[in-house]
Amino acid sequence: MNRLLVRVLVLLVLVLGVNYVAWRWLVSPNWDAWWIAVPLVLAETYSLVDVALFGLTVWRVRRRGPAGPPPPGASVDVFVTTYDEPLDLVLRTALAARAIRHPHTTWILDDGARPGLEALAAEHGIGYLTRTEDRDGRPRHAEAGNLNNALMLTQGEFLLVLDADQVPDPAILDRTLGWFDDREVALVQTPRWFVNVPADDPLGSQAPLFHGPIQQGRDGWNAAFFCGSNALLRREALMQLGSDGCVREVERDVRQALARTRAALRRARRSPEAAGPAVAALLDAIESATARAREELRAGAPLGELTSRLRRDVETAARRTVAEDFSAIEADLAELAALELPAPEAMVWPDELEAAVDRMSRGDLSPLAAIGPVREVLEAVSVDRPGEAQPVMPLATISVAEDMATSMRLHGLGWRSVYHHEVLAHGLAPEDLGTMLTQRLRRAQGTVQVLLRENPLLQRRLRWGQRLMYFATVWSCLSGFAAVVYFAAPVVYLVLGVLPVTALSPEFFWRFLPFMAANQLLFLVVGRGVSAWRGQQYSLALFPTWIRACTTAARSVWFGRPLGFAVTPKARRDGGPAWRLVRPQLVVMALLVAAVAVGSVRLVLGLNEPLGTLVNVAWVVFDLLVLSVLVRAARYRGFVADDPADGSDERSRNAVRG
């Protein structure tokens, strides 16, 4: 690829795009029809930002040569992750992993804990790991939790992560380990390549633009990220990430718990249990101790010392309250002894008071146990993480897209990544529309979760180029909202005669058409002959999936509604065409066709202008071409191995380093 030509095209696209969109905002909107004019110009602005982020990505495309020999004595654990995939599929991948030439240990990470798979692993001399018992009843964190569990049970200096269907080449470690001669490299990612995809790729599985120029461009910005499989990671970097993440999360929890203390104390003072002077004095002591802890936290005091001191101060106050109560009891006992009256059998005698004070100052017998809000806050102020199966979790668990979040955090710690553009594992793509939609939804949900929990633009430890590369991935998930506008605008004109622009003047065409032509030329040059059309189709055609991903991810982050983790099925689903899965798109297609018919009638009646009708009919044709990919996808019955039109084996053999 000619880097100079790419950069010239990027600049040309940006100049033409800004020229067009600025004119759209400043001159052309039909403010009388703001309800369609404003959404359309917003959608066009979204597309301009999308193109700008793509241009920035390919600005620094990095095409690497060979990796060099592996580091001497490099020890490797090969992880084959699985949950409920067919046993023969998992075993095939595990046997291929065992046959990798470089010395290593192969492990099957079975999150389904299946005895049959454990027996197969033992039969073939392959390691087998599943969750330990202390993880029962605690958050599993899906694949991230599976890998985190295995990290604590293995020792290899480097890790090769493979999905259950990703069969590795025997040379995969020989070809990639050499990148780790650079002590700052934490991640080496290789492409995903699927052997069961026909030449026309009806489900858009191969993604050659992503597993090529986009990842190579991110590599130029040191932002090539972990894709969940076919990747090597440095254990040292992951363990540092886990320790750093644990400290940050504990600090956040302690900060939030201390911030809640004031409200908890106010509620506690209003409770019936706080009516007595002893409890009121206890609350005063707790308020003083927590205020001091907040000051120490702002001053940067070590968390362990801070929380230990706070709990000790609170326990001392509780013991003092109990001791005062028992002093009164002791006085009563002395009075009973002086009067020579019989004491109750359960009475605590003076020589037992010290032990009784100790017992009642702790645990459920403490006066704190009666003050619910305060007790909850104090339990939260701890450096322990009792709600998790393990305190240190190297792979990020903030999202179902643990791979992207993990690599973003690694880059934030200063580690480097490498994109090695050579197909070294062959996998299985979804073979039906439903499976593909499940996979795309999960990925998009995880990406949006990352945006809402750790917005890349706000990560101070990332460089600006890295922030923008991660943000570009998130930005693409918002395309569903723009697609709705692009489908609605021509319908509005053809049916109602309402233009979102003031007029379809020559100025509109000479600003818009050059921008679109330069944009498509950029994709053509960057792809080096690889068509990006299928990806462009799905970025618009799957608008219900992208919108659902945004809304469900937002609910999970803001309202705590779990997403779950939908495992991508590896077996083809039987049945007829999956029309029900694309019902919204079929409705849109019907509306577009109906709009053309209505627009034609309105043109004959003189209600619509000829130029406006022609432009919007052309727009409808484009929209129908975009959506037409789903007709083939819904009818797709899976890959046929002896299909003469398929060239997957030949294409795989020809996939070489860029």
Side-chain angles (χ1 to χ4, degrees):
M1 184 192 309
N2 188 324
R3 177 178 286 190
L4 178 60
L5 176 58
V6 169
R7 291 185 173 182
V8 169
L9 284 174
V10 169
L11 292 175
L12 179 63
V13 168
L14 291 179
V15 169
L16 294 173
V18 170
N19 175 62
Y20 170 69
V21 172
W23 175 79
R24 287 283 290 113
W25 275 107
L26 298 174
V27 177
S28 72
N30 180 6
W31 297 111
D32 292 334
W34 63 267
W35 47 273
I36 185 63
V38 172
L40 181 58
V41 75
L42 284 172
E44 290 175 306
T45 305
Y46 167 85
S47 297
L48 175 61
V49 174
D50 196 44
V51 170
L53 290 170
F54 176 75
L56 185 67
T57 300
V58 299
W59 187 268
R60 283 191 178 183
V61 165
R62 183 169 187 176
R63 300 175 62 197
R64 294 178 181 266
S75 61
V76 183
D77 287 316
V78 178
F79 291 162
V80 178
T81 62
T82 178
Y83 176 66
D84 63 355
E85 292 85 356
L87 300 190
D88 58 340
L89 183 149
V90 179
L91 183 61
R92 182 183 64 171
T93 300
L95 291 174
R98 190 186 65 178
I100 292 173
R101 288 197 289 264
H102 185 88
H104 67 284
T105 304
T106 301
W107 302 91
I108 294 175
L109 312 187
D110 183 16
D111 221 12
R114 291 167 289 179
L117 184 55
E118 183 176 10
L120 282 174
E123 178 184 344
H124 293 279
I126 297 170
Y128 176 88
L129 296 173
T130 189
R131 306 289 184 108
T132 52
E133 292 181 359
D134 61 347
R135 281 147 175 80
D136 294 343
R138 299 186 181 188
R140 298 188 66 83
H141 300 302
E143 187 166 345
N146 193 13
L147 289 167
N148 284 332
N149 175 65
L151 275 167
M152 301 303 169
L153 302 174
T154 55
Q155 292 84 36
E157 183 182 0
F158 303 103
L159 317 169
L160 171 61
V161 180
L162 299 167
D163 282 348
D165 64 299
Q166 295 289 326
V167 178
D169 187 287
I172 187 170
L173 294 178
D174 296 327
R175 306 287 288 181
T176 54
L177 274 174
W179 296 116
F180 290 105
D181 270 339
D182 182 347
R183 288 287 304 163
E184 294 183 354
V185 170
L187 164 69
V188 177
Q189 179 67 55
T190 68
R192 285 177 178 250
W193 185 268
F194 303 105
V195 298
N196 61 333
V197 175
D200 62 345
D201 195 6
L203 301 180
S205 299
Q206 293 292 19
L209 199 63
F210 176 82
H211 294 290
I214 290 179
Q215 278 281 59
Q216 288 175 313
R218 289 173 176 166
D219 195 16
W221 293 98
N222 186 29
F225 62 70
F226 180 31
C227 296
S229 182
N230 306 359
L232 286 90
L233 298 110
R234 188 188 295 270
R235 180 185 294 271
E236 176 191 352
L238 288 175
M239 298 311 294
Q240 181 190 356
L241 182 62
S243 300
D244 179 78
C246 180
V247 170
R248 292 172 64 191
E249 290 185 21
V250 168
E251 182 176 356
R252 181 201 61 199
D253 292 343
V254 170
R255 193 180 303 277
Q256 291 176 348
L258 290 174
R260 294 196 303 268
T261 302
R262 289 192 181 94
L265 286 167
R266 285 196 297 269
R267 291 197 306 273
R269 291 185 188 280
R270 293 194 297 267
S271 65
E273 294 83 359
V279 175
L282 173 61
L283 292 176
D284 289 339
I286 294 174
E287 185 170 15
S288 176
T290 53
R292 185 165 54 253
R294 283 193 294 271
E295 290 296 330
E296 292 175 352
L297 185 61
R298 282 193 289 268
L303 288 177
E305 295 179 11
L306 182 153
T307 55
S308 296
R309 186 159 47 248
L310 174 60
R311 297 181 72 85
R312 185 170 60 251
D313 290 346
V314 171
E315 288 174 359
T316 299
R319 193 180 191 285
R320 185 167 56 248
T321 301
V322 172
E324 291 174 356
D325 287 342
F326 271 77
S327 294
I329 295 173
E330 186 177 14
D332 292 340
L333 290 174
E335 184 176 343
L336 286 173
L339 296 174
E340 298 183 353
L341 295 176
E345 293 181 2
M347 182 63 69
V348 180
W349 296 101
D351 56 353
E352 299 173 340
L353 283 176
E354 188 67 23
V357 168
D358 286 339
R359 288 198 304 272
M360 295 194 69
S361 298
R362 297 181 176 86
D364 294 338
L365 296 178
S366 168
L368 291 176
I371 309 172
V374 177
R375 186 183 68 251
E376 293 170 9
V377 170
L378 292 175
E379 288 174 353
V381 181
S382 172
V383 294
D384 297 326
R385 303 182 68 193
E388 296 287 356
Q390 60 188 73
V392 176
M393 292 184 286
L395 276 85
T397 59
I398 63 166
S399 161
V400 293
E402 78 289 336
D403 42 15
M404 174 185 170
T406 296
S407 55
M408 186 171 73
R409 290 179 174 183
L410 283 171
H411 285 129
L413 288 179
W415 291 95
R416 300 187 59 80
S417 63
V418 169
Y419 178 66
H420 183 90
H421 189 48
E422 180 182 12
V423 176
L424 292 169
H426 297 78
L428 297 177
E431 294 210 26
D432 60 81
L433 180 60
T435 303
M436 182 268 278
L437 292 177
T438 298
Q439 184 184 75
R440 301 283 179 95
L441 175 64
R442 186 187 74 226
R443 289 177 181 171
Q445 285 174 326
T447 302
V448 176
Q449 283 181 315
V450 172
L451 170 68
L452 298 177
R453 286 186 169 134
E454 293 185 5
N455 186 337
L457 294 180
L458 303 179
Q459 301 307 305
R460 297 181 179 179
R461 296 195 288 185
L462 292 175
R463 296 178 179 176
W464 268 108
Q466 294 172 319
R467 297 187 202 187
L468 291 172
M469 292 302 99
Y470 281 105
F471 183 73
T473 302
V474 176
W475 186 256
S476 65
C477 294
L478 306 178
S479 63
F481 300 101
V484 171
V485 180
Y486 289 142
F487 295 141
V491 174
V492 168
Y493 176 76
L494 293 171
V495 174
L496 303 177
V498 176
L499 270 177
V501 296
T502 52
L504 292 173
S505 62
E507 188 176 10
F508 170 81
F509 291 102
W510 70 254
R511 289 178 185 270
F512 173 72
L513 293 179
F515 169 51
M516 287 298 296
N519 186 22
Q520 293 303 311
L521 181 60
L522 175 62
F523 277 100
L524 183 64
V525 171
V526 167
R528 302 176 69 194
V530 175
S531 174
W533 172 239
R534 186 68 79 224
Q536 291 175 305
Q537 282 183 295
Y538 273 115
S539 70
L540 295 175
L542 294 185
F543 69 93
T545 300
W546 310 138
I547 293 174
R548 181 185 173 194
C550 292
T551 55
T552 53
R555 287 201 301 266
S556 74
V557 173
W558 294 338
F559 304 109
R561 297 184 184 179
L563 289 176
F565 186 83
V567 177
T568 304
K570 298 300 186 291
R572 184 188 312 170
R573 295 176 180 175
D574 296 327
W579 301 119
R580 62 180 181 82
L581 297 177
V582 291
R583 191 173 296 141
Q585 292 94 324
L586 294 176
V587 170
V588 169
M589 294 176 74
L591 289 174
L592 290 169
V593 172
V596 171
V598 173
S600 301
V601 172
R602 289 177 61 88
L603 176 64
V604 171
L605 296 176
L607 298 175
N608 283 358
E609 297 178 359
L611 181 58
T613 301
L614 177 63
V615 169
N616 282 278
V617 167
W619 194 344
V620 166
V621 171
F622 176 80
D623 285 345
L624 290 174
L625 284 174
V626 167
L627 293 168
S628 65
V629 67
L630 294 174
V631 176
R632 171 85 164 92
R635 296 167 58 89
Y636 182 56
R637 303 298 302 135
F639 177 71
V640 179
D642 58 355
D643 185 350
D646 174 65
S648 60
D649 291 339
E650 183 66 24
R651 293 196 306 276
S652 177
R653 284 193 295 271
N654 292 334
V656 297
R657 295 191 306 273

